[in-house]
Amino acid sequence: MRELWPRRLGRELTVLRSGWRVGVSWSMRITVAAVAGYVVARLLFPDTQPLVASLTAMLVVQVTPVSLLASGLDRVVAVVTGVALAVVFASVVPLEWWSLGLLIFVSMGVGQALRLRDNLIEVPISAMLVLGVGALGAGSAAWERIVETLVGAAVGVVTSLLFPPKVATGSAAKAIDGLADSMSELVNHAAARLAELVEEGGEIAPSARRWVEEARRITHDEVPRAGSALDHAEQGRRFNVRAVGTPDLGPGLRQGLEALEHCAVAIRSMFRALADATSEQAPNADGAVSDLLLGLAQTFREVAAGIDAFGQLVRNDASPTAKLSAEDVLALQAALEGLQEARARLEDLLMVEPTPELRELEAVVLSTVRRLLREMDLQQRVRRQLQLGRPVRPRTPYLSRPAAPGAPKATPSRSPSTPPSPTSSPTSPLEASPDAETQRLPAQRDQRRKKPSS
C-alpha cells in the first residue's frame, strides 16, 4: 500500500491548510475563557493564584453548547465531591502512601456511582490537592477550591454564550468527502494493479489481501472519524445562536455517511472474495479467466467513479449557500449508468464462469454493484433525507413486534397487519413540508392506483 501513502498524506495536508482558521478561533475561545476565569477569581481571592478557575474554564468551554451545560455541572459536582472526601480524610488520617491510595480508590468509586463521565478523574484530583494542604488548612482550601470551580464554570458558560462556536457543517462535509476519496482511491488503485497483474501473469491473492486490510482500516478508522465529525456538527446547532436562520443540512450529510458506510462494507467483502477466489489460481491463467479479471478491473474503475461522484455531490449539497448543482447530479448519473452497465455485464458473465470460485466472485461483485446503485440512487437519497428530517413517531405493534415506549395501542377498527392507505397519510414520503430546510430534489407524485375495495 505504499502507493496510497503519498495521496493520503497530501489529503491530510490539504485538510490541515484549509482548517487552520477553525483551530485559531477555537484556541482564542479557550484563551479568553481561561484568562477571564483567572481575573474574576483573583478579584475574589486577591492573595492567591487561582489557577483552578482558569483550568475549570478551559475544561468547561466545550465545542458545543449542549455538552457545555452538562460538562459544567458535572465538573462542579466532581470538585465538590472530591473536596468533601478530602476534608473527611484530612480530619481522620495523615497524608501517607496508604491514605493517598485509599482516597484515590474511594474517590474513583464515588465518581463512578455519580456517573460523572469525562469529569470522573476530577474527583481524585480535587481530593489530592486539598489533602495536600493538611488537616489544619483543609477547610479553607476546600472553600477556596469550590468557589474557584464555580467561578471557572460560570465564566466558561458565559464565554460560550457570548462567543458561540461556529456550526461545523463544512467540516463534517469535508470529512464525508474525504471518506469517499479514500474509498475511491483504494478501488482505483486495485483496478490498476489488478490489470497489471493479469497482463504480467503475477499472483493476485497477496495484493488482494492488502486491499482487504486497507478496506478494513477505512471501515474501522475513517468511517467513525466522519461519524464523529457529523455528530459534532449536529450537536453544534443546538442552543447555538449562530445556527438561527441557517438551514439544517444534517439529514443530507447523515444519508451520505450511511450510504458510504454500507458501500465500504460491501467493498471490503468484494476484496475478500477476490482474495479467496485467486488464492489457488494459477499465475498464468487462460484467456477466459484473464478476460474475466480484466472485466473486474473495469468494474472497479466504475465503482470508484461512482463513489467519487457521490462524495462530491454530498459535500457540495451540504454548503449553506449552494443549491443542488446540475453538474454534480449529471456526474453522479453518468457514474450510475456505468454501474448499471457493469451490473448487466456481470449478470451475463455469471452464467458462463469456468470455476465455482470465479462464479462466487462474480456473484459477490454483482452484489456490491447492486448495493452501490441502491445506496447512491438520488430518489433513495431524497426519501432517506425526508425520513431523517421528520421526528420519529412510535409504530403500531403487529404480530410479534413489541410496542415501543409510549406507542399508541392498536384500535379494533383496522387490523394491525394491514398497512394504511397511501391517501390516509398526511404527507407522502416523497413530498417535503413547506418549511423544510434541507436541499432536496423535486417531489414526485405517487402514481400507484388504489386497489378497489371488496
Side-chain angles (χ1 to χ4, degrees):
M1 305 281 22
R2 298 179 200 170
E3 299 86 352
L4 295 176
W5 279 107
R7 283 176 285 184
R8 190 184 306 164
L9 180 60
R11 185 170 62 252
E12 295 295 335
L13 291 177
T14 302
V15 173
L16 182 62
R17 287 194 299 266
S18 60
W20 68 271
R21 293 185 179 86
V22 179
V24 171
S25 175
W26 181 72
S27 300
M28 287 297 297
R29 292 178 64 250
I30 295 294
T31 303
V32 170
V35 173
Y38 180 86
V39 171
V40 174
R42 188 66 183 274
L43 295 176
L44 298 177
F45 303 100
D47 299 331
T48 61
Q49 301 293 332
L51 297 177
V52 175
S54 297
L55 178 61
T56 305
M58 292 175 61
L59 296 178
V60 169
V61 176
Q62 301 292 326
V63 291
T64 61
V66 175
S67 59
L68 179 146
L69 299 177
S71 175
L73 179 61
D74 288 347
R75 180 164 175 78
V76 171
V77 173
V79 171
V80 172
T81 303
V83 168
L85 291 175
V87 171
V88 173
F89 268 73
S91 60
V92 176
V93 296
L95 179 58
E96 299 290 345
W97 63 268
W98 57 270
S99 62
L100 178 62
L102 182 61
L103 176 62
I104 294 175
F105 181 79
V106 173
S107 300
M108 294 294 293
V110 174
Q112 292 178 6
L114 295 176
R115 297 182 180 181
L116 296 177
R117 297 173 293 187
D118 295 338
N119 293 301
L120 172 64
I121 197 64
E122 181 61 26
V123 180
I125 290 177
S126 301
M128 291 166 59
L129 291 177
V130 176
L131 185 62
V133 179
L136 296 178
S140 61
W143 170 253
E144 291 179 3
R145 181 161 175 78
I146 291 176
V147 175
E148 290 179 10
T149 302
L150 293 175
V151 170
V155 170
V157 172
V158 172
T159 302
S160 294
L161 294 178
L162 296 179
F163 306 98
K166 180 182 179 181
V167 181
T169 303
S171 300
K174 291 179 182 178
I176 294 174
D177 189 26
L179 172 62
D181 291 341
S182 298
M183 295 168 57
S184 62
E185 288 177 2
L186 172 61
V187 180
N188 257 327
H189 170 74
R193 184 58 181 164
L194 179 60
E196 292 177 1
L197 292 174
V198 172
E199 294 176 356
E200 298 173 358
E203 295 185 1
I204 301 175
S207 298
R209 295 190 190 97
R210 290 193 294 269
W211 301 335
V212 173
E213 293 298 325
E214 180 65 15
R216 182 178 292 111
R217 187 197 65 81
I218 291 176
T219 55
H220 289 177
D221 296 341
E222 299 200 20
V223 171
R225 186 187 309 170
S228 299
L230 180 55
D231 292 339
H232 168 61
E234 291 176 341
Q235 291 183 5
R237 288 188 54 86
R238 302 177 60 186
F239 305 110
N240 193 336
V241 295
R242 298 182 65 175
V244 177
T246 60
D248 183 10
L249 304 172
L253 293 175
R254 178 64 61 181
Q255 188 278 333
L257 178 61
E258 290 178 353
L260 290 176
E261 181 180 3
H262 297 162
C263 294
V265 175
I267 289 173
R268 188 177 69 180
S269 301
M270 179 180 66
F271 286 142
R272 169 57 64 187
L274 177 62
D276 294 341
T278 57
S279 59
E280 300 180 359
Q281 191 72 25
N284 296 322
D286 54 19
V289 175
S290 299
D291 293 341
L292 167 64
L293 295 177
L294 290 176
L296 289 182
Q298 177 61 30
T299 302
F300 289 175
R301 297 188 189 95
E302 292 163 346
V303 168
I307 294 175
D308 184 66
F310 182 77
Q312 190 67 31
L313 181 138
V314 172
R315 177 175 178 175
N316 293 341
D317 194 21
S319 175
T321 59
K323 296 181 180 179
L324 197 60
S325 173
E327 290 77 7
D328 296 330
V329 175
L330 292 177
L332 180 58
Q333 288 178 347
L336 294 179
E337 290 177 0
L339 287 175
Q340 291 172 357
E341 295 176 359
R343 180 182 62 181
R345 183 171 63 250
L346 291 170
E347 290 174 350
D348 294 338
L349 293 176
L350 192 60
M351 309 302 297
V352 293
E353 298 309 330
T355 62
E357 292 80 6
L358 294 178
R359 187 178 297 113
E360 181 180 357
L361 172 60
E362 284 284 346
V364 174
V365 176
L366 177 60
S367 176
T368 302
V369 172
R370 289 174 176 171
R371 166 61 65 181
L372 266 67
L373 286 172
R374 187 181 307 114
E375 296 294 340
M376 297 188 298
D377 181 70
L378 291 176
Q379 298 300 328
Q380 175 66 22
R381 173 171 168 80
V382 172
R383 285 191 291 268
R384 184 57 181 156
Q385 286 186 81
L386 293 174
Q387 293 175 359
L388 293 171
R390 290 198 300 262
V392 179
R393 294 178 296 179
R395 297 180 298 175
T396 304
Y398 68 92
L399 297 181
S400 60
R401 186 180 72 189
K409 296 183 179 180
T411 58
S413 61
R414 187 177 65 186
S415 175
S417 60
T418 304
S421 173
T423 58
S424 62
S425 58
T427 57
S428 175
L430 289 180
E431 295 179 354
S433 59
D435 57 345
E437 297 175 315
T438 304
Q439 180 69 29
R440 302 185 178 96
L441 293 176
Q444 295 185 356
R445 293 181 176 273
D446 194 348
Q447 302 295 335
R448 293 178 297 175
R449 292 181 296 177
K450 295 186 297 182
K451 295 182 180 179
S453 59
S454 56

